[in-house]
Amino acid sequence: HLHGTSRALDPQLHSHNFVYNITQNQKGEFRAIAMEEVYRNKLYIGALYRAELAANLKKLGFTIEEDGKSFRIAGIDKEIEKEFSKRRIAILNEAEKRGVHDARGMEIITKAGRARKIDGVNSRDLIPHWRAVAKELGMPEIASIMGAQAKNKVYDRKELYDRLTQGQSTFTEGDLKKELAIYAQHCGLGIDFIKLEYQEILKDKELVCLDKEKKIYSTKSMIEIEQA
């Protein structure tokens, strides 16, 4: 289900994916769904979604730039982004005021500060207003942004390993999947690439499994550094 605006009525295209909490087992009995794997992998799933979005934007001719764990489109001034991110800025300001920096605290602030949804407002109705504001702020024409920027970041598996071992010598299977998806997103690479690359990494001799049961890994390079 697609939505086109934030609660502050800024342009914010996003998806809602409904999962019905009911399933049928082999005996024909209806049961609730065990969602533990979904919750455990929520950051990975979010990164997969953004990676697929980035890959499709790259195909359209945009250049993808790294922006923390997310990405941005090159050629759009950050002041324009701020103007259209009133809801996000309000959340960050509240977090700063309260000294909150962890994910759980941010989630509480986000839910507590939600404005009432305004019914009957369609993003299509707001497009002329958004265009006028963007023009006033000096937003260039989309055609000039597409294909006119620097080259996209090029994926390098060694850089992925460096990301995983920066500040720690070991990482879990969950860390590997999440960081791969985030890094692929920064390179404008989507889900198909991530799935194939994950299987290739598991076969890579540079990857060392330290605990098969807990699925804890390191790299040959990191082990050599530690031994030295």
Side-chain angles (χ1 to χ4, degrees), residues 84 122-136:
F84 288 118
N122 191 299
S123 59
R124 286 192 299 273
D125 302 330
L126 293 166
I127 287 172
H129 167 69
W130 291 336
R131 281 187 174 148
V133 171
K135 190 174 181 180
E136 194 178 317

Side-chain angles (χ1 to χ4, degrees), residues 31 100 102 107 139 146 181 193 206 211 227:
R31 295 285 184 267
V100 170
D102 63 298
E107 187 182 344
M139 171 91 172
M146 293 168 70
F193 170 83
E206 177 65 15
D211 189 322
Q227 285 173 343

